[in-house]
Amino acid sequence: MPDTITITDDRTGKTVTVPITDGVFPASAVRELDPSLFIYDPAFMQTAACRSAITYLDGDAGILRYRGYPIEQLAEKSTYLEVAYLLLNGELPNPEQLATWSHDVTHHTFIHENMRKRFVDGFHYDAHPMGMLISAVSALGTFYNDAKDIDSKESRDKQILRLVAKMPTLASMCYRFSAGLPFVYPDNDISFPANFLQMMWKIGEYELDPRLERAMDVLFILHADHEQNCGTTAMRVVGSSHVDPYSSCAAAAAALYGPLHGGANEAVIRMLTEIGHVDNVPKFIEEVKSGKGSRLMGFGHRVYKNFDPRATIIKKTAYDVFEVTGTNPLLDIALKLEEVALADEYFISRKLYPNVDFYSGLIYQAMGFPVAMFTVLFAIPRTVGWLAHWQELLGDKDQKISRPRQWYAGEDARDYIDLSAR
Ligand code: CMC
């Protein structure tokens, strides 16, 4: 069987045959048929906008791999900083490379004092930490004039290092401001997750249980990348204009903030709290099915149609955390929801399964994070995924500034009507 596709324009009888490579054929075939012919594909459901070698995802089989390595192995054996190196460089670091990378990240965690004193202090006392983080990432870029020099590899590497290293500092700063607590400076002698947790929680003496440190690292690994999701696509689209990476990251973070994307973990906790008791689960499910209530938050995924491998790992991590913190009272409701939904024809036929956000919120809450910080916790590790894609985009000769076409549905040409005649 030939690995080609032939498209015929029935209006003209013109035919074009192009190769199918890895299940993809070039849209240039359509251009060749007729340059004024376009494909209508809202939400890019059937469109591959780039070639990428970073993350492989098979939604039907529930497979997720970073640079070829299964997420299950990385979550069990690796660390977030090692995974960050892998995503950015394509290979796992050797001991020397890891030591240099870890040292460099650790020594770029501080932020300019004016970020805290002038910028963050200007927010209203009850500002949402994610709204603050989005603006803070963008503002951070104004401290580095070399950030605009995106054609220089040296400059790109420096901005990547700064962003990866400073995100936890920015994130904890946003939290401490909203809680009215004094800012805690980074500690260069402890691990990446331990430093973040210390900046979040330290008031006087602070001792961190290693199980919580590891859980944080695993959550960072699981959230580090997820190929062309909404936030990463925002990063690529904005980055394609050749703006500096801080501005692109702010755009990606803004996309992540939405409740259909990274904001879903927040929505899950609100939903579980609203349900209130396991006995109310069947009624809630009926409301979801009837379309009268909300969606079942933390369920369903554009790509995973079997199971989300991250959800399986997160569920296990939840129990590790609960060993230290005691169980989350909402867990029973979540387990019941999962049980009822997975046995229900509505969810089975639509291939709706728990996604990464279903259990992550329960862990965050048990660890003491306020709900408003959940998406911030997602943004910290996802920054490296955004940057890996940004780097890839800039090196991809096929890429140009993103500029989709539209299917015009407005008025035809008409003459201006004077105000007095309207
Ligand atoms: N609860 C109830 N029904 C649902 C849900 C849900 N969570 N998700 C999808 N459906 C139904 C939907 O109503 C539709 O039914 P019908 O065919 O009868 O109209 C069908 O399933 C297909 O839904 P869709 O909206 O066309 O699917 P999509 O691929 O556009 O949406 C999604 C994917 C994640 C936005 C959606 O499943 C959803 O809204 N889930 C809840 C929010 C959530 O948990 N988001 C986190 C996603 S994972 C983290 C990330 O990577 O961002």
mmCIF file of all heavy atoms in Angstrom, residues 22 34 39 47 52 60 65 79 94 123 146 152 156 167 190 206 240 254 260 271 287 292 375 384 399 419 421:
data_model
loop_
_atom_site.group_PDB
_atom_site.id
_atom_site.type_symbol
_atom_site.label_atom_id
_atom_site.label_comp_id
_atom_site.label_asym_id
_atom_site.label_seq_id
_atom_site.Cartn_x
_atom_site.Cartn_y
_atom_site.Cartn_z
ATOM 1 N N ASP A 22 4.773 9.263 9.014
ATOM 2 C CA ASP A 22 4.365 9.103 10.421
ATOM 3 C C ASP A 22 2.920 9.541 10.638
ATOM 4 O O ASP A 22 2.592 10.174 11.657
ATOM 5 C CB ASP A 22 5.279 9.921 11.369
ATOM 6 C CG ASP A 22 6.741 9.535 11.254
ATOM 7 O OD1 ASP A 22 7.017 8.365 10.929
ATOM 8 O OD2 ASP A 22 7.611 10.402 11.484
ATOM 9 N N ASP A 34 -5.172 24.601 -4.675
ATOM 10 C CA ASP A 34 -5.775 25.924 -4.874
ATOM 11 C C ASP A 34 -5.321 26.815 -3.710
ATOM 12 O O ASP A 34 -5.719 26.579 -2.567
ATOM 13 C CB ASP A 34 -7.310 25.771 -4.862
ATOM 14 C CG ASP A 34 -8.016 27.115 -4.951
ATOM 15 O OD1 ASP A 34 -7.343 28.161 -4.892
ATOM 16 O OD2 ASP A 34 -9.264 27.107 -5.030
ATOM 17 N N ILE A 39 -8.304 24.808 5.195
ATOM 18 C CA ILE A 39 -8.885 23.749 6.018
ATOM 19 C C ILE A 39 -9.503 24.396 7.246
ATOM 20 O O ILE A 39 -8.835 25.200 7.913
ATOM 21 C CB ILE A 39 -7.798 22.738 6.430
ATOM 22 C CG1 ILE A 39 -7.303 21.990 5.202
ATOM 23 C CG2 ILE A 39 -8.297 21.777 7.494
ATOM 24 C CD1 ILE A 39 -6.030 21.234 5.422
ATOM 25 N N THR A 47 -4.778 19.165 13.361
ATOM 26 C CA THR A 47 -3.647 19.859 12.741
ATOM 27 C C THR A 47 -2.383 19.698 13.572
ATOM 28 O O THR A 47 -2.394 19.965 14.776
ATOM 29 C CB THR A 47 -3.970 21.371 12.616
ATOM 30 O OG1 THR A 47 -5.105 21.499 11.761
ATOM 31 C CG2 THR A 47 -2.811 22.149 12.043
ATOM 32 N N SER A 52 8.046 17.937 16.526
ATOM 33 C CA SER A 52 8.693 18.090 17.825
ATOM 34 C C SER A 52 9.320 16.781 18.266
ATOM 35 O O SER A 52 8.764 15.708 18.039
ATOM 36 C CB SER A 52 7.673 18.553 18.869
ATOM 37 O OG SER A 52 8.338 18.748 20.105
ATOM 38 N N ASP A 60 -4.482 6.959 23.128
ATOM 39 C CA ASP A 60 -5.278 5.727 23.172
ATOM 40 C C ASP A 60 -4.623 4.688 24.060
ATOM 41 O O ASP A 60 -5.285 3.915 24.736
ATOM 42 C CB ASP A 60 -5.452 5.163 21.757
ATOM 43 C CG ASP A 60 -6.361 6.063 20.942
ATOM 44 O OD1 ASP A 60 -7.299 6.637 21.538
ATOM 45 O OD2 ASP A 60 -6.118 6.228 19.729
ATOM 46 N N ARG A 65 5.961 9.974 27.176
ATOM 47 C CA ARG A 65 7.426 9.849 27.278
ATOM 48 C C ARG A 65 8.072 11.197 27.057
ATOM 49 O O ARG A 65 7.663 11.936 26.169
ATOM 50 C CB ARG A 65 7.974 8.898 26.198
ATOM 51 C CG ARG A 65 7.478 7.496 26.309
ATOM 52 C CD ARG A 65 8.117 6.624 25.215
ATOM 53 N NE ARG A 65 7.332 5.425 25.022
ATOM 54 C CZ ARG A 65 6.956 4.937 23.847
ATOM 55 N NH1 ARG A 65 7.316 5.543 22.725
ATOM 56 N NH2 ARG A 65 6.228 3.849 23.777
ATOM 57 N N THR A 79 14.946 13.081 39.014
ATOM 58 C CA THR A 79 14.591 14.291 39.767
ATOM 59 C C THR A 79 14.120 15.330 38.763
ATOM 60 O O THR A 79 14.401 15.218 37.565
ATOM 61 C CB THR A 79 15.808 14.880 40.509
ATOM 62 O OG1 THR A 79 16.782 15.265 39.522
ATOM 63 C CG2 THR A 79 16.404 13.914 41.496
ATOM 64 N N ASN A 94 25.124 13.423 32.237
ATOM 65 C CA ASN A 94 26.047 12.568 32.991
ATOM 66 C C ASN A 94 26.289 13.256 34.343
ATOM 67 O O ASN A 94 25.841 14.395 34.549
ATOM 68 C CB ASN A 94 27.334 12.295 32.195
ATOM 69 C CG ASN A 94 28.137 13.559 31.939
ATOM 70 O OD1 ASN A 94 28.098 14.480 32.737
ATOM 71 N ND2 ASN A 94 28.851 13.593 30.826
ATOM 72 N N PHE A 123 0.580 45.071 44.256
ATOM 73 C CA PHE A 123 -0.691 44.360 44.034
ATOM 74 C C PHE A 123 -1.678 44.612 45.174
ATOM 75 O O PHE A 123 -1.272 44.910 46.303
ATOM 76 C CB PHE A 123 -0.440 42.852 43.912
ATOM 77 C CG PHE A 123 0.050 42.441 42.554
ATOM 78 C CD1 PHE A 123 1.390 42.165 42.339
ATOM 79 C CD2 PHE A 123 -0.824 42.355 41.490
ATOM 80 C CE1 PHE A 123 1.844 41.794 41.085
ATOM 81 C CE2 PHE A 123 -0.378 41.994 40.234
ATOM 82 C CZ PHE A 123 0.960 41.717 40.030
ATOM 83 N N ASP A 146 19.387 41.761 27.745
ATOM 84 C CA ASP A 146 19.915 40.780 26.787
ATOM 85 C C ASP A 146 18.859 39.739 26.398
ATOM 86 O O ASP A 146 19.074 38.945 25.482
ATOM 87 C CB ASP A 146 21.170 40.094 27.343
ATOM 88 C CG ASP A 146 20.907 39.372 28.669
ATOM 89 O OD1 ASP A 146 19.879 39.677 29.320
ATOM 90 O OD2 ASP A 146 21.719 38.510 29.044
ATOM 91 N N SER A 152 21.138 34.721 19.834
ATOM 92 C CA SER A 152 22.378 34.256 20.456
ATOM 93 C C SER A 152 22.092 33.071 21.374
ATOM 94 O O SER A 152 21.277 33.169 22.297
ATOM 95 C CB SER A 152 23.000 35.411 21.246
ATOM 96 O OG SER A 152 23.675 34.925 22.377
ATOM 97 N N ARG A 156 20.124 32.885 24.948
ATOM 98 C CA ARG A 156 18.962 31.986 25.139
ATOM 99 C C ARG A 156 19.193 31.099 26.359
ATOM 100 O O ARG A 156 18.322 30.939 27.206
ATOM 101 C CB ARG A 156 18.750 31.121 23.889
ATOM 102 C CG ARG A 156 18.172 31.854 22.700
ATOM 103 C CD ARG A 156 17.573 30.881 21.681
ATOM 104 N NE ARG A 156 18.514 29.879 21.201
ATOM 105 C CZ ARG A 156 19.313 30.025 20.144
ATOM 106 N NH1 ARG A 156 19.305 31.159 19.458
ATOM 107 N NH2 ARG A 156 20.130 29.048 19.763
ATOM 108 N N MET A 167 11.520 30.747 38.850
ATOM 109 C CA MET A 167 10.069 30.517 38.964
ATOM 110 C C MET A 167 9.639 30.168 40.389
ATOM 111 O O MET A 167 8.653 30.728 40.895
ATOM 112 C CB MET A 167 9.603 29.430 37.982
ATOM 113 C CG MET A 167 9.367 29.915 36.590
ATOM 114 S SD MET A 167 8.187 31.278 36.485
ATOM 115 C CE MET A 167 6.675 30.398 36.230
ATOM 116 N N ILE A 190 20.185 23.603 49.470
ATOM 117 C CA ILE A 190 19.223 22.499 49.511
ATOM 118 C C ILE A 190 18.663 22.247 48.106
ATOM 119 O O ILE A 190 18.905 23.021 47.186
ATOM 120 C CB ILE A 190 18.088 22.757 50.538
ATOM 121 C CG1 ILE A 190 17.426 24.122 50.271
ATOM 122 C CG2 ILE A 190 18.615 22.688 51.953
ATOM 123 C CD1 ILE A 190 16.301 24.454 51.252
ATOM 124 N N TYR A 206 12.415 25.494 60.310
ATOM 125 C CA TYR A 206 11.617 24.751 59.335
ATOM 126 C C TYR A 206 12.284 23.407 59.058
ATOM 127 O O TYR A 206 13.454 23.340 58.689
ATOM 128 C CB TYR A 206 11.499 25.544 58.028
ATOM 129 C CG TYR A 206 10.764 24.790 56.936
ATOM 130 C CD1 TYR A 206 9.391 24.570 57.033
ATOM 131 C CD2 TYR A 206 11.441 24.282 55.838
ATOM 132 C CE1 TYR A 206 8.717 23.863 56.052
ATOM 133 C CE2 TYR A 206 10.772 23.576 54.841
ATOM 134 C CZ TYR A 206 9.412 23.370 54.955
ATOM 135 O OH TYR A 206 8.752 22.677 53.995
ATOM 136 N N SER A 240 6.865 32.769 18.296
ATOM 137 C CA SER A 240 7.129 32.827 16.841
ATOM 138 C C SER A 240 7.236 34.271 16.349
ATOM 139 O O SER A 240 7.701 34.523 15.249
ATOM 140 C CB SER A 240 6.053 32.069 16.065
ATOM 141 O OG SER A 240 4.863 32.832 15.968
ATOM 142 N N ALA A 254 -0.587 32.489 31.210
ATOM 143 C CA ALA A 254 -1.965 32.995 31.152
ATOM 144 C C ALA A 254 -2.886 31.918 30.583
ATOM 145 O O ALA A 254 -3.996 31.709 31.085
ATOM 146 C CB ALA A 254 -2.020 34.258 30.293
ATOM 147 N N LEU A 260 -10.156 25.219 32.065
ATOM 148 C CA LEU A 260 -10.154 24.022 31.221
ATOM 149 C C LEU A 260 -8.740 23.479 31.050
ATOM 150 O O LEU A 260 -8.528 22.426 30.451
ATOM 151 C CB LEU A 260 -10.738 24.334 29.832
ATOM 152 C CG LEU A 260 -12.203 24.750 29.811
ATOM 153 C CD1 LEU A 260 -12.709 24.828 28.384
ATOM 154 C CD2 LEU A 260 -13.080 23.789 30.610
ATOM 155 N N MET A 271 -15.170 21.725 43.410
ATOM 156 C CA MET A 271 -16.254 20.781 43.118
ATOM 157 C C MET A 271 -16.432 19.782 44.276
ATOM 158 O O MET A 271 -17.546 19.543 44.742
ATOM 159 C CB MET A 271 -15.920 20.043 41.809
ATOM 160 C CG MET A 271 -16.847 18.932 41.439
ATOM 161 S SD MET A 271 -16.213 18.005 40.019
ATOM 162 C CE MET A 271 -14.922 17.023 40.770
ATOM 163 N N GLU A 287 -26.407 15.209 37.611
ATOM 164 C CA GLU A 287 -26.463 16.604 37.151
ATOM 165 C C GLU A 287 -25.439 16.855 36.041
ATOM 166 O O GLU A 287 -25.707 17.545 35.065
ATOM 167 C CB GLU A 287 -26.192 17.563 38.323
ATOM 168 C CG GLU A 287 -27.423 17.775 39.184
ATOM 169 C CD GLU A 287 -27.113 18.493 40.492
ATOM 170 O OE1 GLU A 287 -25.979 18.985 40.650
ATOM 171 O OE2 GLU A 287 -28.010 18.518 41.342
ATOM 172 N N LYS A 292 -27.033 19.919 33.215
ATOM 173 C CA LYS A 292 -27.536 21.037 34.039
ATOM 174 C C LYS A 292 -26.456 21.537 34.989
ATOM 175 O O LYS A 292 -26.336 22.726 35.244
ATOM 176 C CB LYS A 292 -28.757 20.585 34.860
ATOM 177 C CG LYS A 292 -30.022 20.488 34.034
ATOM 178 C CD LYS A 292 -31.224 20.267 34.948
ATOM 179 C CE LYS A 292 -32.302 19.490 34.204
ATOM 180 N NZ LYS A 292 -32.792 18.340 34.943
ATOM 181 N N THR A 375 -2.519 26.334 40.464
ATOM 182 C CA THR A 375 -2.052 26.514 39.090
ATOM 183 C C THR A 375 -0.627 27.058 39.076
ATOM 184 O O THR A 375 0.157 26.772 38.166
ATOM 185 C CB THR A 375 -3.006 27.426 38.298
ATOM 186 O OG1 THR A 375 -4.336 27.011 38.575
ATOM 187 C CG2 THR A 375 -2.756 27.320 36.817
ATOM 188 N N VAL A 384 9.831 24.767 32.183
ATOM 189 C CA VAL A 384 10.908 24.137 31.407
ATOM 190 C C VAL A 384 10.369 23.527 30.109
ATOM 191 O O VAL A 384 11.042 23.555 29.077
ATOM 192 C CB VAL A 384 11.696 23.109 32.266
ATOM 193 C CG1 VAL A 384 11.001 21.764 32.359
ATOM 194 C CG2 VAL A 384 13.080 22.917 31.668
ATOM 195 N N GLN A 399 9.524 26.742 10.643
ATOM 196 C CA GLN A 399 8.641 27.655 11.379
ATOM 197 C C GLN A 399 8.764 29.101 10.905
ATOM 198 O O GLN A 399 9.836 29.559 10.534
ATOM 199 C CB GLN A 399 8.932 27.586 12.879
ATOM 200 C CG GLN A 399 8.540 26.261 13.505
ATOM 201 C CD GLN A 399 7.034 26.003 13.505
ATOM 202 O OE1 GLN A 399 6.219 26.922 13.451
ATOM 203 N NE2 GLN A 399 6.661 24.732 13.546
ATOM 204 N N LEU A 419 -23.970 58.941 10.763
ATOM 205 C CA LEU A 419 -24.540 58.791 12.100
ATOM 206 C C LEU A 419 -25.993 59.271 12.145
ATOM 207 O O LEU A 419 -26.868 58.625 12.727
ATOM 208 C CB LEU A 419 -23.672 59.589 13.105
ATOM 209 C CG LEU A 419 -24.006 59.434 14.572
ATOM 210 C CD1 LEU A 419 -23.916 57.968 15.015
ATOM 211 C CD2 LEU A 419 -23.074 60.276 15.428
ATOM 212 N N ALA A 421 -28.187 59.135 9.986
ATOM 213 C CA ALA A 421 -29.101 58.257 9.255
ATOM 214 C C ALA A 421 -29.276 56.900 9.926
ATOM 215 O O ALA A 421 -30.028 56.056 9.443
ATOM 216 C CB ALA A 421 -28.575 58.061 7.827
#
